[in-house]
Amino acid sequence: MSIVNVSFQVEDRSGRITRARAKELSESGDVPCSSKSSGVQKHIVRANSKRVASDDINICSISSSGLPNKRRAVLKDVTNISTKGSDKNCRNASNIQGDKPTRRISAKAKANAPLNAPVEILGAEEDENTRLAEDLSKIRVVESREVSLRETLCHTSGECGVLDMVLSVSSEESIPQPNEKYMASEQSAASSDTGVIDIDSNSKCLQSCSIYAPDIYDRIRVTELDQRASTTYMEQLQRDITADMRGILVDWLIEVSDEYKLVPDTLYLTVNVIDRFLSRNCIERKRLQLLGVASMLIASKYEEICAPGVEDFCFITDNTYTKREVVEMESKVLNLLHFRLSVPTTKTFLRRFIQSAHASYKVPCIELEFLANYLAELTLVEYSFLKFLPSLIAASAVFLARWTLDQSDHPWNPTLEHYTCYNASELKTVVLALQDLQHNASASSLNAIRQKYRQPKFKCVATLASSRSVLSLFEEQD
């Protein structure tokens, strides 16, 4: 080390270096890139271009540990790409890139670069590194597809000799995309001779998720079996309440949902939460209404955009319960159900099945939709319908609604059978029970649903009834 450098370091530690002293040292050629002189250097470089300002910080602003700026290294350094995998992928990537090694500027080289070095060269090399990083990522995507295809073919055929011929085709052609595969299967189903109409091909509603609808409903059909309430909890668990008390509670909750203008999904989820809670916990009759308002509070928070507050539910009970009691019951219900609120209800399937029923109409029938919803809501009050799956109730409601509106033709067709996964004979028991509810055969005094659907906005579908018994349809099949 020269004497000038020693004196510079001593002065650097002891005090401030004046401009005259810095000029004198710069003429001797021994001025390193230090933090004391970086301000003058930044000012000179920043006057040339904006890019130099950002690059100058990374070249000269080296920490005491000798590491470059971390954010810059993460964004631009190719070696930060995940190398998780075998060494074979790395060797293949290097072979494809060629013999030209990737030129990288280390932190030490940046620190030792002269101040008047052309910054455009550094930027060009970094842009080249970025381009190589993108090429490397594309190469690894192709390799991963080839590996997955290799494993699939080896597993199915047991021989890997055909891989050379298969892999000669490009990856886009050899591995179809999921949407292409789905569209191909749907087109084949729609063009078959079974008479099934594809209800998803021409769907313009983005919320219907027509591309993923079949997979979604297949998953929902499995979930409805897992999240069911007990069908015998009144006889086996409850001691202080009866099925009639449950019916009175649900009928009152229907009036509450109509008063607060809640969506139908909130009502269905409320009844589902009540039944699942009563399937696991014994409750006193004086706390049954508290369970009802707490369950509707939970369902409102889950389904509604603007859910009613706790005070609203206290008010609707004429302040029978305090705000603290409602919140405590809400917490108890959620903990008992483990916060599992994403459960399929009858309304979940009803939307899909009504869409399938409309496929055979040139113009959608609004009465069919209202009537099917009316018949489905009638089952909420009845404890005996817990033994039927929600999908079965929804399919039966569509069946009876079509029969009520038009008795000149059979209400079931291949399209409905395809999308509901039920044939007409499997719906017999539920359809007959639904027709009894429609005619009010038991002369039930719980009329909240009937009063609701007698309104003109629902086309007064509660006043409709089939003059001919639906039993004749099933007798003809037998």
Side-chain angles (χ1 to χ4, degrees):
M1 182 181 294
S2 63
I3 300 176
V4 179
N5 284 333
V6 174
S7 63
F8 175 78
Q9 292 178 359
V10 172
E11 290 183 12
D12 187 16
R13 295 192 185 94
S14 61
R16 180 178 178 183
I17 300 178
T18 62
R19 293 184 178 179
R21 181 57 179 163
K23 183 177 180 180
E24 180 183 352
L25 294 177
S26 63
E27 292 177 354
S28 63
D30 295 325
V31 182
C33 181
S34 63
S35 60
K36 297 297 181 181
S37 60
S38 61
V40 181
Q41 296 164 1
K42 291 178 185 178
H43 178 73
I44 296 173
V45 179
R46 192 175 290 110
N48 295 330
S49 64
K50 293 183 179 180
R51 179 171 179 78
V52 178
S54 60
D55 290 339
D56 179 62
I57 297 174
N58 291 282
I59 294 175
C60 296
S61 298
I62 306 299
S63 63
S64 58
S65 60
L67 296 176
N69 187 281
K70 184 177 181 180
R71 180 175 181 273
R72 182 78 173 191
V74 170
L75 293 177
K76 297 297 182 181
D77 192 359
V78 182
T79 58
N80 285 317
I81 297 178
S82 177
T83 56
K84 186 176 180 180
S86 62
D87 296 335
K88 180 180 178 180
N89 294 335
C90 298
R91 290 195 298 269
N92 292 335
S94 62
N95 293 333
I96 296 176
Q97 290 175 6
D99 298 331
K100 295 182 179 180
T102 303
R103 297 183 62 186
R104 296 180 62 252
I105 303 175
S106 62
K108 183 177 180 180
K110 290 182 180 181
N112 295 331
L115 296 177
N116 56 357
V119 187
E120 290 79 8
I121 297 177
L122 300 179
E125 291 179 352
E126 291 175 354
D127 293 339
E128 183 181 1
N129 293 341
T130 304
R131 183 178 58 81
L132 290 176
E134 295 175 355
D135 295 340
L136 184 59
S137 61
K138 294 179 181 179
I139 292 168
R140 287 176 176 167
V141 170
V142 174
E143 290 179 354
S144 62
R145 290 181 177 180
E146 292 178 356
V147 170
S148 61
L149 181 60
R150 184 183 299 273
E151 294 176 353
T152 304
L153 293 176
C154 290
H155 178 72
T156 56
S157 62
E159 297 179 359
C160 298
V162 296
L163 292 180
D164 296 334
M165 179 180 64
V166 175
L167 294 180
S168 61
V169 186
S170 61
S171 58
E172 288 82 4
E173 297 177 354
S174 60
I175 304 178
Q177 299 297 325
N179 57 350
E180 296 175 355
K181 183 187 295 183
Y182 168 74
M183 292 303 295
S185 62
E186 288 297 331
Q187 290 174 0
S188 62
S191 61
S192 61
D193 297 334
T194 58
V196 177
I197 301 175
D198 185 6
I199 64 175
D200 297 316
S201 60
N202 297 324
S203 178
K204 298 180 181 179
C205 179
L206 297 179
Q207 295 182 350
S208 63
C209 301
S210 58
I211 296 179
Y212 310 103
D215 294 332
I216 291 174
Y217 279 91
D218 287 343
R219 176 59 184 168
I220 291 176
R221 293 295 291 266
V222 177
T223 309
E224 72 170 338
L225 298 174
D226 299 334
Q227 302 293 335
R228 291 188 65 187
S230 173
T231 60
T232 57
Y233 67 81
M234 283 293 181
E235 298 80 9
Q236 297 182 355
L237 182 61
Q238 301 301 327
R239 298 291 180 266
D240 199 28
I241 62 174
T242 61
D244 294 336
M245 294 180 185
R246 175 196 174 275
I248 295 173
L249 173 65
V250 174
D251 188 74
W252 176 74
L253 289 174
I254 293 171
E255 295 179 351
V256 173
S257 65
D258 194 33
E259 178 70 21
Y260 287 134
K261 302 185 185 313
L262 304 180
V263 297
D265 300 81
T266 302
L267 178 61
Y268 281 95
L269 182 58
T270 300
V271 178
N272 179 272
V273 170
I274 292 174
D275 289 327
R276 288 164 61 199
F277 180 85
L278 294 178
S279 300
R280 303 181 182 182
N281 187 68
C282 185
I283 195 173
E284 301 176 356
R285 65 177 64 185
K286 63 180 181 180
R287 295 175 63 84
L288 183 60
Q289 188 180 13
L290 177 61
L291 172 63
V293 294
S295 300
M296 181 160 281
L297 175 62
I298 294 171
S300 300
K301 291 180 178 179
Y302 188 83
E303 297 287 355
E304 299 291 334
I305 297 177
C306 298
V310 183
E311 298 82 1
D312 297 324
F313 288 105
C314 293
F315 172 78
I316 206 68
T317 61
D318 198 15
N319 294 320
T320 304
Y321 307 103
T322 63
K323 179 180 178 180
R324 181 176 180 179
E325 288 177 324
V326 175
V327 172
E328 287 179 353
M329 177 59 74
E330 177 190 16
S331 176
K332 184 176 181 180
V333 171
L334 288 173
N335 285 303
L336 186 66
L337 301 182
H338 303 288
F339 290 81
R340 295 178 180 175
L341 301 178
S342 298
V343 293
T345 61
T346 302
K347 184 64 177 179
T348 307
F349 295 98
L350 203 56
R351 290 190 179 93
R352 181 73 167 173
F353 297 166
I354 290 176
Q355 184 184 4
S356 304
H358 281 160
S360 59
Y361 294 122
K362 295 182 180 179
V363 179
C365 182
I366 191 65
E367 288 84 0
L368 173 64
E369 182 175 355
F370 287 149
L371 185 56
N373 280 284
Y374 164 64
L375 295 173
E377 288 187 22
L378 285 176
T379 64
L380 294 176
V381 184
E382 301 296 326
Y383 168 75
S384 58
F385 274 82
L386 284 178
K387 59 186 177 183
F388 302 121
L389 290 174
S391 60
L392 183 60
I393 296 176
S396 302
V398 173
F399 185 101
L400 185 58
R402 286 172 58 90
W403 173 252
T404 303
L405 295 175
D406 184 12
Q407 301 178 17
S408 62
D409 193 11
H410 198 282
W412 216 238
N413 54 43
T415 302
L416 283 167
E417 183 174 345
H418 172 76
Y419 286 103
T420 62
C421 300
Y422 292 112
N423 54 44
S425 60
E426 294 173 331
L427 305 177
K428 178 180 179 180
T429 304
V430 185
V431 169
L432 294 176
L434 271 179
Q435 192 174 43
D436 289 339
L437 288 179
Q438 184 184 22
H439 293 155
N440 197 12
S442 60
S444 175
S445 59
L446 305 178
N447 294 320
I449 299 176
R450 292 181 173 86
Q451 293 295 334
K452 173 183 175 182
Y453 282 92
R454 283 185 182 138
Q455 301 178 33
K457 66 178 181 180
F458 294 112
K459 302 296 182 180
C460 303
V461 294
T463 60
L464 300 178
S466 58
S467 58
R468 179 184 172 188
S469 175
V470 74
L471 182 61
S472 59
L473 294 176
F474 302 104
E475 290 177 352
E476 293 176 1
Q477 292 180 353
D478 296 339

